[in-house]
Every structure is written in structure tokens, then in C-alpha cells.
Amino acid sequence: MTQNTQNSYLKLFNRQKENQYKVAQTSYNQRIKKLNALQRAIEFTYREEINDALNKDLGKPKVESELSEVYQIIGDIKYVKKHLHKWMRKQKVETPLSMLGSSSYYIYEPKGVCLIISPWNFPFNLTFGPLISSIAAGNTVVIKPSEMTPHSSALMATIIKDLFDEDEVALVEGEVEVSTALLKLPFNHIFFTGSPNVGKIVMTAAANHLASVTLELGGKSPTIIDKTANIKKATKKIVWGKFLNAGQICVSPDYILIEEGVKEEFINSCKTWIKHFYSNEPKQSESYARIVTPKHFDRLLSYLENAKSLNANIVAGGEHDKASKFIAPTIVTDLDKEASLLNEEIFGPIMPIISYKKLEEAIDFVNSKERPLALYVYSKSKTNIKKVISNTRAGGTCINNNVIHYANHNLPFGGTNNSGIGKSHGFFGFKAFSNERAVVKQHFFGATEFLFPPYTSFKEKIAKLTIKWF
Ligand code: NAD
């Protein structure tokens, strides 16, 4: 990173810093206008180019791009437009009698100059999603998308340039050194989506300026299935959730914990659905995505080699081809507890299965790992479902389904501890980019003035009465 480049980032930051109060004072209508422009760009002007870029970067089938990127962004914008007026209003609250003579409210004011750092697996959705929240809240923002999906990042740069002035929204492309340089600047809020390890780097950098952070991270999301579950229906959803985007989804079911008696039925049913979704030859299937880079391909194969060296069994899939970054939907059983597949976030189309005899064993296994971003439970037993939820912690949960909680804008989305800090989507995203400013307005003489010094015995009595009665 040359001094000139670092200086150019500082200059950009300073321009946004100068402009922040102007942007902050934009009205509801002005913000809606910006959201409408972004919606038009995604829905019409650039839609085909978006699908094309995703196909080049990730081999994403068009239907998947449409549903998981275009539709998600449009849905997000529509939801925000519907509710923004209410969110921008003064939020009145009660005032205690001891503060007689005043009224109270709080406002959601923009945090100021924000930084969004995004990953590659849903490049548009995970960049424009936080951008929508940031615009709704009235911030200026610098965006750094992932270098792993160059076609998508370049297209996003074009879209941003087309729609916004740099002193309001700017996109800077580049690798880690660009993030590192940006993280040196005193942003007011940093919204990071990526791995827990980089999340720690981001939080450390934010601490230097006491910038607030939203960290949307990942980790190992478990799926627990007991023998009361409808295995056929469960496996249909799990195979879809696990192999969508070739498993490169933060809320993908990372590993399976299944009650022993239904393990074989589960594996057989998974094989049936894999064949149904992706045919006998997933490599030829137009519905199946590819691994993002050769580096990630090698990482995933090293997990498989490691499992094999520890005597695991590959009971489905396992075929791969480096040239086309293809790894077949794969199921692995009989894993040693030291295997990488049980200790690293997989983020790929490999599904390890562990069986348990008692539900407590499955719960203990989950709790022996970091807190996950998602935890899924398949069961018809209300007692078991309650037991799993109340004895574990996770960012989100689906009961008898997976992944889809992400798509409900009414729900907060995010992790807990190692899987994330803070929430996004809908109102929660708006809140992440806002400071709740408390305001007390004094109308006439206030009761608190009775308690100002000097502290006479009369005031002491009033203080006692206040503690007792108000
Ligand atoms: P990553 O952490 O490697 O990279 C994310 C971003 O951080 C990229 O823009 C990258 O350039 C930047 N970056 C990488 N190393 C950096 C460093 N040392 N300093 C500063 N910036 C750096 O993640 P990824 O590989 O792009 O994405 C996969 C991870 O993201 C998985 O862990 C996945 O679970 C997680 N994820 C989480 C969510 C969510 O919403 N919670 C969504 C998607 C992905």
C-alpha cells in the first residue's frame, strides 16, 4: 500500500465526514428516493449483469442468483420503505413523576461515517443489504467488497458510481491490504460480514477508535434430528440447505447430529434427494454451484483427506475436479472427533454425520463448540424441541426447517459471541446503523430542582420520600 493510496482513503473519509450532517438531515422522502434508485438498478438496469457476474464468480445457477441475491435485496428495500417513516419518528417514552415538568423521547440518529466490509458467498446481497440499512438510517458509507468474486465486486463498483456521489457512498475494491488501510481510519461504525478470525481483527482495529461494530460471522451450525422427526421431509430440506450455493452459506447446516436408530434411513433418504435435485451426475447439473476459488477447493479437499486418514467413511459423493472447482454433494460418517470436518467451519458441500443415543449427548456436543450462527432441530416432540432450544445458544433457529429464518425481514439476523455481535435485517439493520439519542425536554419548573444543593434536612426528607414513593 503506497502512501498515496493511504492518503486517498483518508481524503475520501474526510469528504464523507464533512458531508455526514447533510446526509443525516435528509428527509424520509429523500431517503426513499435513494432506495428507489437502488431498487431500479437491481431489479431492472443491472439484473442480467448481476446474474452473469454471479455465474462467472461462483457458477451460480440463474434461479439461485435471482432468489438468493436479487429477490433478497428487493425484498429488503420494500420492507424498509414500508416501515422507515415509523422508524424515523421521535420515539416517545414515559417520564417518571420525579421528573415532573419534563417530557422524554429518543431518536434514531445516523451513526455518521460507516464502513461495510463484505464477503464473497452472496456478494450482492451481503453488500447491498447493509447498504440499504445504512442509507435508511442516513449515514455516509465506504464499502469494501470481497476480492474473491472480482466480477461481482467490479459490477457493484459501477452500480455505486452510477447512483451515488463519492462523498455519500463509495466503493473501494481490493484485497486484505485495502481493508487493513481502511480499518486505520476513525469510522463511527463498522459493519463486517465474514469469518470469526477476521472479525477479531476488525474488532481490534475498531477498538483503537472505539468505533461500534456489527460483526456478522460464521462457524459451525448444527442440525439435531431425533427419531420422532419425519425423516423424508427433513432430509429434503437439509439436502437443499446444505448443498445450496455448494454449501457456501453462513447458515448452512454444517454438521448433523442424528439419533442412532434413524441414521441409516437418514443417509438413504439424503442420497435419494441428492439424486433428485442434482441427478446421478451433479457435475453436469445446471442447478449445482461451484467452489469459489482453487484455494477454497484445496481447503475442502484437505478436510476430506484428513477424515479419510482418520478412517472416516464417505457414504455419498466425494468426486471432485479441480479444473472446474467442482466437489460433489458429499456425506461422511464415522468421524474421529479430532477430524477437521468436526472442528473447522466447512463452508462447502460436505456433510458430516454423527449419531447419538441420548439427546443430552447431542446438546453436550453442540455446547462443546463455539456458539453457532444457526441451530436447527427436527422433531415432533415438543419436549425435545424445548430441551434443545433452552439448553443451547445460537444466533437463530429453525424448527423442522433450515436456512429460511434468514429470509424473514421481521426477524433479527446475526450470531452470538463467536458467530457474531449485533443484528441486521429490517428494523434491526436500521438500528445497527443508528445511535439512539435520548432527549429530555424541560417545559417548566422541574421537580428535580427541589433537590439541588445546599442539602438541608428538608431536602433530605424529600430525597427519602422520592426513593420511597417515586
Ligand atoms: P473473510 O473473513 O475471509 O473475508 C471477509 C472480508 O474481509 C473480505 O472483504 C476480505 O477482503 C476481508 N478480509 C479478509 N482478511 C482480512 C484481514 N486480515 N483484515 C481485514 N480484512 C480482511 O470471509 P469470507 O471468506 O469472505 O467469507 C466466509 C466467512 O464469512 C464464513 O466464515 C461465513 O460463515 C461468514 N459469513 C457470515 C455471514 C453472516 O451473515 N453472518 C454471511 C456470509 C458469510
mmCIF file of all heavy atoms in Angstrom, residues 7 33 132-133 198 255 287 310:
data_model
loop_
_atom_site.group_PDB
_atom_site.id
_atom_site.type_symbol
_atom_site.label_atom_id
_atom_site.label_comp_id
_atom_site.label_asym_id
_atom_site.label_seq_id
_atom_site.Cartn_x
_atom_site.Cartn_y
_atom_site.Cartn_z
ATOM 1 N N ASN A 7 -3.347 7.908 1.553
ATOM 2 C CA ASN A 7 -3.825 9.302 1.619
ATOM 3 C C ASN A 7 -5.147 9.482 0.887
ATOM 4 O O ASN A 7 -6.003 10.261 1.307
ATOM 5 C CB ASN A 7 -2.783 10.259 1.000
ATOM 6 C CG ASN A 7 -1.604 10.430 1.934
ATOM 7 O OD1 ASN A 7 -1.700 10.077 3.111
ATOM 8 N ND2 ASN A 7 -0.495 10.947 1.408
ATOM 9 N N LYS A 33 -36.139 8.055 -2.049
ATOM 10 C CA LYS A 33 -35.700 8.261 -3.430
ATOM 11 C C LYS A 33 -34.408 7.473 -3.717
ATOM 12 O O LYS A 33 -34.264 6.842 -4.766
ATOM 13 C CB LYS A 33 -35.454 9.770 -3.631
ATOM 14 C CG LYS A 33 -35.684 10.250 -5.019
ATOM 15 C CD LYS A 33 -35.678 11.749 -5.062
ATOM 16 C CE LYS A 33 -35.216 12.203 -6.422
ATOM 17 N NZ LYS A 33 -34.922 13.629 -6.457
ATOM 18 N N ILE A 132 -28.458 -0.825 2.382
ATOM 19 C CA ILE A 132 -29.857 -0.386 2.487
ATOM 20 C C ILE A 132 -30.119 0.154 3.903
ATOM 21 O O ILE A 132 -30.690 1.231 4.076
ATOM 22 C CB ILE A 132 -30.811 -1.570 2.162
ATOM 23 C CG1 ILE A 132 -30.702 -1.942 0.685
ATOM 24 C CG2 ILE A 132 -32.262 -1.245 2.532
ATOM 25 C CD1 ILE A 132 -31.241 -3.339 0.351
ATOM 26 N N SER A 133 -29.664 -0.589 4.911
ATOM 27 C CA SER A 133 -29.859 -0.148 6.306
ATOM 28 C C SER A 133 -29.131 1.167 6.553
ATOM 29 O O SER A 133 -29.646 2.064 7.239
ATOM 30 C CB SER A 133 -29.319 -1.190 7.284
ATOM 31 O OG SER A 133 -29.954 -2.418 7.090
ATOM 32 N N VAL A 198 -11.269 -13.104 11.088
ATOM 33 C CA VAL A 198 -11.106 -11.723 10.596
ATOM 34 C C VAL A 198 -11.973 -10.781 11.436
ATOM 35 O O VAL A 198 -11.600 -9.625 11.672
ATOM 36 C CB VAL A 198 -11.418 -11.630 9.076
ATOM 37 C CG1 VAL A 198 -11.269 -10.201 8.586
ATOM 38 C CG2 VAL A 198 -10.497 -12.552 8.285
ATOM 39 N N TYR A 255 -23.044 -29.547 10.289
ATOM 40 C CA TYR A 255 -22.938 -30.983 10.595
ATOM 41 C C TYR A 255 -24.252 -31.483 11.180
ATOM 42 O O TYR A 255 -25.073 -30.699 11.651
ATOM 43 C CB TYR A 255 -21.774 -31.265 11.556
ATOM 44 C CG TYR A 255 -21.908 -30.640 12.921
ATOM 45 C CD1 TYR A 255 -22.415 -31.355 14.002
ATOM 46 C CD2 TYR A 255 -21.516 -29.318 13.146
ATOM 47 C CE1 TYR A 255 -22.534 -30.790 15.264
ATOM 48 C CE2 TYR A 255 -21.632 -28.739 14.394
ATOM 49 C CZ TYR A 255 -22.137 -29.478 15.456
ATOM 50 O OH TYR A 255 -22.255 -28.905 16.693
ATOM 51 N N SER A 287 -28.127 -27.018 -11.817
ATOM 52 C CA SER A 287 -28.662 -26.489 -10.561
ATOM 53 C C SER A 287 -27.612 -26.497 -9.447
ATOM 54 O O SER A 287 -27.934 -26.207 -8.303
ATOM 55 C CB SER A 287 -29.851 -27.347 -10.107
ATOM 56 O OG SER A 287 -30.826 -27.382 -11.108
ATOM 57 N N LEU A 310 -8.257 -40.598 9.059
ATOM 58 C CA LEU A 310 -8.720 -40.972 10.402
ATOM 59 C C LEU A 310 -9.843 -42.022 10.317
ATOM 60 O O LEU A 310 -10.656 -42.141 11.229
ATOM 61 C CB LEU A 310 -9.197 -39.718 11.153
ATOM 62 C CG LEU A 310 -8.100 -38.684 11.470
ATOM 63 C CD1 LEU A 310 -8.717 -37.369 11.938
ATOM 64 C CD2 LEU A 310 -7.152 -39.218 12.525
#
